[in-house]
Amino acid sequence: MGLQQTRIESLPFVTAELNYLAPTPGKPRTYAFDPPPGEPKSTALPEAHNVPIFDGRLIADSFSLDREGFALVKHPTSVKDYYDDNEVRNVYYPAVEAFLKATLKADRVFIFDHTVRKRVEGAADIRGGGPRQPATRVHVDQTAVSGRNRVFEHLPDEAEQLVKGRVQVINLWRPIRGPLRDSPLAMADGTTVAPKDLIASDLIYPNRSGETYSVKYNPNHRWFYIPEMTPDEAILLKCYDSATDGRTRFGPHTAFVDPTTPADAAPRESIELRTLVFHKQ
């Protein structure tokens, strides 16, 4: 069961433009580097839709990774500088690993990478080309194929044994500075997302190919955001779940332009950690 419809309809909301996947022939693909001559950077073109995005702060205690596919958590840290890669890996990684292991009652948590983002007006989101920009298309970071493949990519010697249990890819996303008013994160309620809405799309790197889900528009999608997040808060996002027992397996999300953002709001700065979460049963 999802959240009670009458309770949701009474929540405050903003109406904002979200970029879904436009109809495209063949499997969409995007180059993570300059494409070969004559090739477009991406065939996954945006199709904008105006949708209501509900203020989830008032019902945050109701959200569940297994139902909606996301959750708001309180998670203070001792990190001083999220732009210091060594501090992030040596201080933040162990803290998040311990937090997720306890919070999700996991047997093991493995952090495989992180991304720091700082919005720069007019800048494109280019890997290795300055700060990463907020991702402004509706997507899921992994697919049924690539989520499982992450285990073999990062833990090859143990992968065959690990995939016998439950495997999840969970992102922990937080603002670096707050309260965050610029380019907040919108999360789709996984109970309103149909499997046919998720379109496997290739992400091509110089030395490998990954796969993400682009998302087709569906008027049944229900969206939430958490306004004015502070740096001691974080959102858990489910990007893959090997369990096929009816719980939400993939959580679409995107940054969006909040029409109520004050003109003098500081540009969004955020960090996301991508993790493999293992349960033996």
Side-chain angles (χ1 to χ4, degrees):
M1 293 288 290
L3 297 166
Q4 292 185 6
Q5 187 68 35
T6 52
R7 193 178 177 198
I8 292 168
E9 289 175 350
S10 68
L11 292 174
F13 66 91
V14 297
T15 299
E17 188 175 270
L18 299 188
N19 292 312
Y20 282 91
L21 175 69
T24 180
K27 186 179 184 181
R29 56 117 188 92
T30 298
Y31 285 96
F33 58 100
D34 288 335
E39 290 279 343
K41 177 83 171 177
S42 178
T43 62
L45 301 179
E47 180 180 79
H49 289 267
N50 285 307
V51 302
I53 306 174
F54 291 95
D55 179 347
R57 188 171 285 284
L58 300 174
I59 56 170
D61 290 347
S62 302
F63 296 136
S64 153
L65 274 174
D66 279 347
R67 188 177 53 243
E68 286 78 30
F70 62 88
L72 177 69
V73 294
K74 198 81 169 175
H75 184 235
T77 80
S78 59
V79 176
K80 305 298 184 193
D81 183 4
Y82 287 100
Y83 292 95
D84 182 337
D85 196 68
N86 286 330
E87 185 177 7
V88 168
R89 293 180 183 277
N90 294 327
V91 177
Y92 194 43
Y93 274 33
V96 171
E97 181 181 324
F99 174 76
L100 289 181
K101 191 172 180 181
T103 302
L104 304 180
K105 299 177 173 57
D107 293 300
R108 183 176 176 184
V109 173
F110 178 84
I111 299 170
F112 59 87
D113 70 13
H114 72 276
T115 299
V116 177
R117 299 181 191 269
K118 181 177 182 179
R119 191 178 69 77
V120 177
E121 189 68 38
D125 182 25
I126 301 172
R127 289 169 174 79
R132 292 291 305 274
Q133 300 301 297
T136 55
R137 65 181 186 90
V138 181
H139 69 285
V140 184
D141 292 28
Q142 307 294 333
T143 67
V145 172
S146 66
R148 186 176 188 274
N149 284 349
R150 282 287 183 183
V151 186
F152 289 85
E153 180 181 350
H154 299 293
L155 298 165
D157 295 340
E158 307 165 74
E160 289 291 355
Q161 189 62 35
L162 289 169
V163 297
K164 292 178 181 177
R166 182 187 180 196
V167 181
Q168 297 179 87
V169 177
I170 303 293
N171 285 11
L172 186 144
W173 182 97
R174 76 185 322 127
I176 290 173
R177 310 192 195 288
L180 186 141
R181 300 186 175 101
D182 174 70
S183 295
L185 197 67
M187 296 80 65
D189 177 349
T191 67
T192 68
V193 178
K196 65 180 175 58
D197 300 336
L198 304 176
I199 307 300
S201 306
D202 287 328
L203 186 55
I204 304 170
Y205 298 91
N207 56 348
R208 69 179 183 89
S209 289
E211 193 176 65
T212 64
Y213 280 131
S214 302
V215 183
K216 290 195 302 184
Y217 175 69
N218 182 332
N220 293 327
H221 291 168
R222 186 161 54 213
W223 288 93
F224 293 95
Y225 78 118
I226 308 296
E228 304 209 351
M229 284 184 66
T230 59
D232 63 353
E233 296 179 308
I235 292 173
L236 302 182
L237 293 167
K238 185 183 287 191
C239 296
Y240 167 76
D241 195 336
S242 64
T244 56
D245 55 3
R247 63 186 105 195
T248 289
R249 300 183 65 203
F250 305 99
H253 54 277
T254 180
F256 72 99
V257 177
D258 180 351
T260 68
T261 297
D264 61 351
R268 189 242 266 191
E269 296 178 68
S270 62
I271 183 171
E272 64 225 47
L273 260 61
R274 300 176 183 88
T275 77
L276 286 162
V277 178
F278 299 102
H279 295 266
K280 291 176 183 175
Q281 298 296 329

